[in-house]
Amino acid sequence: MTASLAELAPLDLHQSFQDFVAARPDGETWELVAGRFLMQAQPNINHQIIAGNLDRLLTNGIERLGLPRISLQNPAVDLRPALEGHIYVPDVAIIDAAEVEPGRNVVSACFLAAEIISPSDRRKPAGTKSRKIEIKLLGYEALPMCEAVLLVEQHAFDITLSERTGSDWARRRLTDPDDRLVIASAGLDCRLGDVYARTMLVRASR
């Protein structure tokens, strides 16, 4: 991962971005990354299945811990004041339940963010030197409330977990379906294969 902090704080475009999104047709998903408006590709079926699996596993973990948090898919997360010029839409995130209010469509932080990597995530936004997913990972890690970030490959059993350890972050990669994916802060303890349940990848491995 080679994203630089200079790429993470270019411009304050938050209000103009939100005005732009409000004027776009329903069904489009846009992000503000390094001050640039980027449209997300329509997720394929495997992508959607993995997102649903993660949402369910994280919801179960939160409920076991009795935390005042909620897991949901595709929330908009405004990274200010930690970073200017960045509003991300993770595929799944854990947010503060107190931020769920009528009419609200952007939250101020997340405790966990999960990104299911698409080809567009590996491209470098115009004017930057790093891939989109590298910039977003560093952005999530800059959020004081964020405790964990998951980067999930779609076409292989391959998840990178970045987890806060004090003032630092520890990253580890899991590639065996029987590896344990454990995130204590989210009450998550499952097989890696559980994240990919019912996908084409699981059917092909049988």
Side-chain angles (χ1 to χ4, degrees), residues 53 157 176-179 190-199 202:
N53 291 340
F157 294 107
D176 189 304
D178 291 323
D179 284 342
C190 67
R191 292 174 59 256
L192 183 73
D194 294 337
V195 176
Y196 294 89
R198 296 176 298 280
T199 64
V202 170

Side-chain angles (χ1 to χ4, degrees), residues 60 124-125 135 189:
N60 292 342
K124 297 177 182 178
I135 296 173
D189 185 349

Side-chain angles (χ1 to χ4, degrees), residues 42-192:
Q42 176 66 29
N44 61 38
I45 293 176
N46 266 351
H47 186 291
Q48 295 178 68
I49 293 172
I50 293 169
N53 291 340
L54 273 173
D55 189 15
R56 174 179 52 80
L57 291 165
L58 291 170
T59 294
N60 292 342
I62 293 167
E63 291 179 349
R64 280 194 297 271
L65 294 179
L67 297 174
R69 302 177 180 183
I70 185 171
S71 173
L72 72 163
Q73 298 182 44
N74 303 311
V77 180
D78 191 330
L79 275 66
R80 290 179 302 174
L83 292 173
E84 296 290 333
H86 292 260
I87 299 176
Y88 300 162
V89 182
D91 293 297
V92 183
I94 294 177
I95 67 168
D96 189 337
E99 294 218 59
V100 180
E101 300 174 348
R104 186 167 188 172
N105 54 16
V106 180
V107 298
S108 62
C110 61
F111 297 102
L112 177 148
E115 294 281 350
I116 302 165
I117 299 175
S118 300
S120 60
D121 291 316
R122 301 191 192 280
R123 299 175 190 146
K124 297 177 182 178
T128 69
K129 297 180 180 179
S130 300
R131 296 181 300 172
K132 177 184 175 184
I133 193 62
E134 295 170 348
I135 296 173
K136 291 182 71 175
L137 174 60
L138 196 57
Y140 289 128
E141 291 179 346
L143 288 175
M145 282 177 55
C146 191
E147 299 163 342
V149 184
L150 287 168
L151 303 183
V152 183
E153 296 288 349
Q154 296 185 56
H155 306 301
F157 294 107
D158 192 340
I159 294 179
T160 297
L161 168 62
S162 183
E163 198 165 18
R164 188 184 294 277
T165 57
S167 59
D168 296 319
W169 287 83
R171 294 177 186 165
R172 63 190 181 100
R173 186 179 176 189
L174 308 174
T175 58
D176 189 304
D178 291 323
D179 284 342
R180 301 302 299 181
L181 177 59
V182 180
I183 307 176
S185 61
L188 180 65
D189 185 349
C190 67
R191 292 174 59 256
L192 183 73

